[in-house]
Amino acid sequence: MADASPFRPADRVDRTERTLGSRQLAALLPDPAGTRPAYRHLARAISALILDGRIALHVRLPAERELATALSTSRPTITAAYDLLRESGYAHSRRGSGTWTALPEGSTPTGVTRALAPPDTAIDLARAAPGLPERILTDALHRVAPRLAEHAHTPGYHPYGLPELRAAVAERFTRRGLATVPEQVLVTSGAQHALTLVLGLLSGPGDRVMVENPSYPNALEAIRRARLRHVSVPVTDSGWDIEIIESTLRQVVPQLAYLIPDFHNPTGCLMPDHERVRVLRAAQRSGTWLIIDETLADLALDVPAQPPFASHATPGGAGQVITIGSMSKTYWGGLRIGWLRAPSRLVTELAGQRITTDLGGSVLDQLLALALLAQATELLPPRLEQLREQRAVLAAALSEHLPQWSWQLPPGGLSLWADLGEPVASALAERALDYGVRIEGGAYFATAPGIFEQRLRIPYTTPPDILREAVHRMAAALGDSLPLSSATRRPHWVA
């Protein structure tokens, strides 16, 4: 049971209120010079920040007097703007406790689920995961066959993972700059499995988890199904607002924080070293466990691959950092192998948690992972070059067929985070199915429904000719004479 874990303190204080500082909000707002009436411009700007996920939901806005001072405007202007936000549904007031962000009724649909889409002939851009060349898999299978035969004389159960694979993953961390021994590694059935194990051991229903907004949908779903309460911090095209992360850790004191600092999914942002240091210090002060998802860390296209996040910690400061990795994004999603790095005592606890539902992963898959990791210096460079080419093809096709869209070219990862300029992403994704393209709108990556409707995540994991055709079809769908708002969205599973 999670409550019995020595790693989850029973006396943690639950601090649920979050306040957005007046200077923080002022820094997010565009220059209002020349706009009239000022209160309407201010209300429109704040509502746009809420819809874009840059201001989280259920956050207390600054006091009217404080915001008026920060913006060098009158208090009646702020009062009128807050009144307009309340009237339009983007805020509500609690007697004696201020004004809080919200979404209008009707923009927060309920009962949204993700189901595995049936196979069809559509171009699949919903899953940002590359395939593995047949030759590479065939060669690896040939090499591991004798070793698999050796294991046939054993029971085949390895709750911690194959010893040789644990050693290889530990050596990989050490080579990247974070000294690691095999006892600090647990091999799992993918990164999602690792996250689920951690959530089950270190948290219980009602605990707070700090997450990015937007973020990886399947991680958000795992947090919801564990009945945890997420507290979101924004990730924009320019990256993370570290002051908001620090204030959230200080004000809320979450039990866990789940972050994707390396080529963030879906924005593609890369967290700078100095910001990683600040996050580590803030988490250490609040006693929060950091879950760092490094599944995309090897996919550095324009910059050097980064050292592990935990390597930036002060001596003894990495004791509450759990690093998750996987073979899925770098090699192949069909190879269900992931891992986590954590203090050895925690790894023992997690292995005990695992055997209640899973006595160990496939020996064959682990041997294949071991063989592929041994060839990383040969296999990764051509894969990265292929991704660079596909990224360039996708960007060129978008510029040609959809010039009204905007995006920033990510320095790594597997996808673009496109801004459509208007909130039609879900409706466009629905219509694109009729044109033979499966893609997911930005709302699937949001911590709450109703936001990122102007965004699409577009992976560049398919061959260039297929990417060109996909963009051509999306442009045709967007140019259809029927209004996009008439579409009814059918959710799908994404990766």
Side-chain angles (χ1 to χ4, degrees), residues 172-219:
R172 178 178 177 273
F173 274 111
T174 301
R175 189 172 61 251
R176 293 175 57 215
L178 180 62
T180 304
V181 295
E183 290 75 19
Q184 293 174 292
V185 174
L186 179 70
V187 177
T188 61
S189 300
Q192 188 74 9
H193 182 212
L195 174 62
T196 303
L197 288 174
V198 172
L199 295 178
L201 180 67
L202 295 183
S203 61
D207 280 349
R208 292 272 173 170
V209 181
M210 188 181 78
V211 298
E212 298 152 324
N213 191 27
S215 188
Y216 179 49
N218 296 327

Side-chain angles (χ1 to χ4, degrees), residues 261-280:
D262 296 282
F263 316 119
H264 174 264
N265 185 4
T267 67
C269 292
L270 178 65
M271 185 181 288
D273 289 350
H274 68 277
E275 293 184 358
R276 298 176 185 228
V277 172
R278 290 176 61 179
V279 171
L280 283 161

